[in-house]
Amino acid sequence: SYGDYLRCGAMAAQSPVTRAVVDAARAGTPVLGICNGFQVLCEAGLLPGALLRNASLKYICKAVDLTVVNTDTPFTRAFTDAPVARMTVGNGEGNYVADDATLDRLEGEGRVAFRYVDTPNGSARDIAGIVDASGRILGMMPHPDRAFETDLGSADGARVFQSLLAA
């Protein structure tokens, strides 16, 4: 994310590697953007909306509970028996925003994948993760990669990767 000095992900969205990711995504390759990766996906136009400073204007690092809203994506199928997941957020700019028409479209098309039980950052409609229209691109602010072992507080994040492997 190039240090988050300019809107998170804005500079990364212009890099050659991101252009290759965009091309691969448009060709059908599944893409997972976690935290700064979610910001890059929005800045690159692969997902709608933007990530702004947290409502508290402070960096937040803590475990959060998520409702798994859509279990019919390549990233969420392993959650069918687990409607709530625990993962960690660690960001200063995790406040998901979009205009009302976009939010209504995301809701109506079933593109909200994860929702905060209690949003830590002010995200519109408690959105923690969304997918594109194909379901093959997921952007999420919480870190499934930090919730891989029960010794770390939760193994729920492993289900994101298990889902993708099974797909």
Side-chain angles (χ1 to χ4, degrees), residues 101-167:
T102 299
L103 293 169
D104 291 343
R105 188 175 72 251
L106 290 171
E107 301 273 5
E109 294 175 359
R111 292 175 49 193
V112 176
F114 296 97
R115 194 181 309 276
Y116 296 109
V117 171
D118 183 22
T119 187
N121 50 29
S123 288
R125 300 187 190 177
D126 301 323
I127 291 173
I130 60 172
V131 293
D132 75 327
S134 73
R136 289 188 315 265
I137 300 171
L138 169 65
M140 61 185 298
M141 209 21 74
H143 283 267
D145 53 311
R146 294 184 186 175
F148 232 80
E149 297 281 341
T150 54
D151 289 346
L152 297 174
S154 174
D156 293 340
R159 290 179 183 241
V160 171
F161 301 100
Q162 291 163 350
S163 296
L164 191 54
L165 287 172

Side-chain angles (χ1 to χ4, degrees), residues 27 29 36 59 61 69 81 91 97 119-120 123 125-126 159 162 167:
T29 301
N36 291 123
Y59 182 86
C61 184
V69 180
D81 65 339
N91 61 68
V97 297
T119 187
S123 288
R125 300 187 190 177
D126 301 323
R159 290 179 183 241
Q162 291 163 350

